[in-house]
C-alpha cells in the first residue's frame, strides 16, 4: 500500500518528466529518478560526471538528469515535495542543496501550497531574493500542485515572474 507521500512523489515524477521533455528534449536526453540514497553514493555514471559530486551528501525527493546531446554535459534538476504546506525550513534545505550543486532548475512543490505567513514573506522582493536565489540568475521555483486537476496552481507560483516559464 502506498503512502500519500509516495503517491505524490510518483505524480510529481511524471509531471517533472513531462515538463522537462516539453522544455528540453530537443537539446537534452532526460532521465528522472527517485534517489534511494545521497547523490554522492548513487551508482549512476552521469552523477559521477558532476563537478564535486562526492560532496553531494543529500538526496532530493526526485532527481532530473539532463544530458546535453551535443556535449554530453550533465545538468541536474532537483524537486522536493511536501504533502503539507511549505515552511521556511524546507525552503532553507533546498537553498543549501541548490547552492552546493547549482542545478539547472530547483523545485519545491506541495499539495497544500505555502502558509500565509511564508506567502507574505515571499511577496517582499528582497526576502524572496535571499530565500530563493541560489546562483546568479537562478531561483528555486515554489508552487502548489493540484492533484485533482493534475496541474500547477498558477496562483501559487514563486517567484511570480517564473509563472510563464512553468505554465507555457
Amino acid at each position: 500500500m502506498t503512502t500519500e507521500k509516495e503517491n505524490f512523489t510518483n505524480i510529481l515524477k511524471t509531471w517533472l518528466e513531462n515538463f522537462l521533455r516539453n522544455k528540453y528534449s530537443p537539446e537534452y536526453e532526460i532521465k528522472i529518478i527517485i534517489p534511494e540514497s545521497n547523490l554522492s553514493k548513487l551508482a549512476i555514471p552521469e552523477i559521477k560526471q558532476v563537478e564535486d559530486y562526492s560532496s553531494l551528501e543529500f538526496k532530493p525527493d526526485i532527481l532530473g538528469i539532463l544530458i546535453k546531446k551535443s556535449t554530453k554535459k550533465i545538468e541536474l534538476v532537483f524537486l522536493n515535495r511536501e504533502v503539507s504546506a511549505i515552511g521556511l525550513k524546507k525552503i532553507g534545505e533546498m537553498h543549501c542543496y541548490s547552492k552546493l550543486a547549482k542545478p539547472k532548475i530547483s523545485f519545491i512543490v506541495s499539495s497544500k501550497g505555502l502558509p500565509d505567513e511564508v506567502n507574505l514573506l515571499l511577496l517582499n522582493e528582497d526576502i524572496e531574493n535571499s530565500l530563493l536565489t541560489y546562483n546568479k540568475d537562478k531561483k528555486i521555483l515554489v508552487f502548489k500542485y493540484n492533484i485533482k486537476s493534475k496541474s500547477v496552481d498558477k496562483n501559487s507560483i514563486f517567484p511570480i515572474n517564473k509563472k510563464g516559464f512553468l505554465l507555457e
Side-chain angles (χ1 to χ4, degrees), residues 8 11 110-111 144-153:
F8 194 46
I11 289 167
S110 168
S111 56
K144 175 183 175 183
Y145 187 83
N146 186 318
I147 295 171
K148 286 184 181 152
S149 68
K150 296 182 178 156
S151 65
V152 174
D153 177 339

Side-chain angles (χ1 to χ4, degrees), residues 50-138:
V50 173
E51 187 177 333
D52 298 327
Y53 84 92
S54 61
S55 66
L56 304 180
E57 288 292 320
F58 59 86
K59 68 177 189 129
D61 295 324
I62 304 170
L63 174 66
I65 301 171
L66 301 175
I67 307 144
K68 191 154 181 113
K69 291 177 180 175
S70 61
T71 64
K72 299 299 179 200
K73 182 180 185 234
I74 305 298
E75 296 204 61
L76 302 178
V77 175
F78 295 162
L79 188 149
N80 275 0
R81 54 83 190 106
E82 289 296 314
V83 291
S84 57
I86 300 165
L88 288 176
K89 181 179 177 186
K90 292 299 177 184
I91 293 172
E93 181 181 86
M94 182 57 93
H95 192 257
C96 289
Y97 293 175
S98 299
K99 287 269 270 190
L100 278 171
K102 296 175 184 61
K104 185 170 188 68
I105 312 171
S106 206
F107 297 102
I108 306 174
V109 184
S110 168
S111 56
K112 303 275 192 285
L114 291 163
D116 289 341
E117 53 275 8
V118 176
N119 207 0
L120 286 171
L121 282 173
L122 291 176
L123 288 171
N124 178 311
E125 193 176 341
D126 292 335
I127 294 172
E128 177 201 283
N129 282 330
S130 67
L131 289 176
L132 300 182
T133 303
Y134 62 90
N135 191 17
K136 288 181 261 170
D137 58 347
K138 292 187 179 183

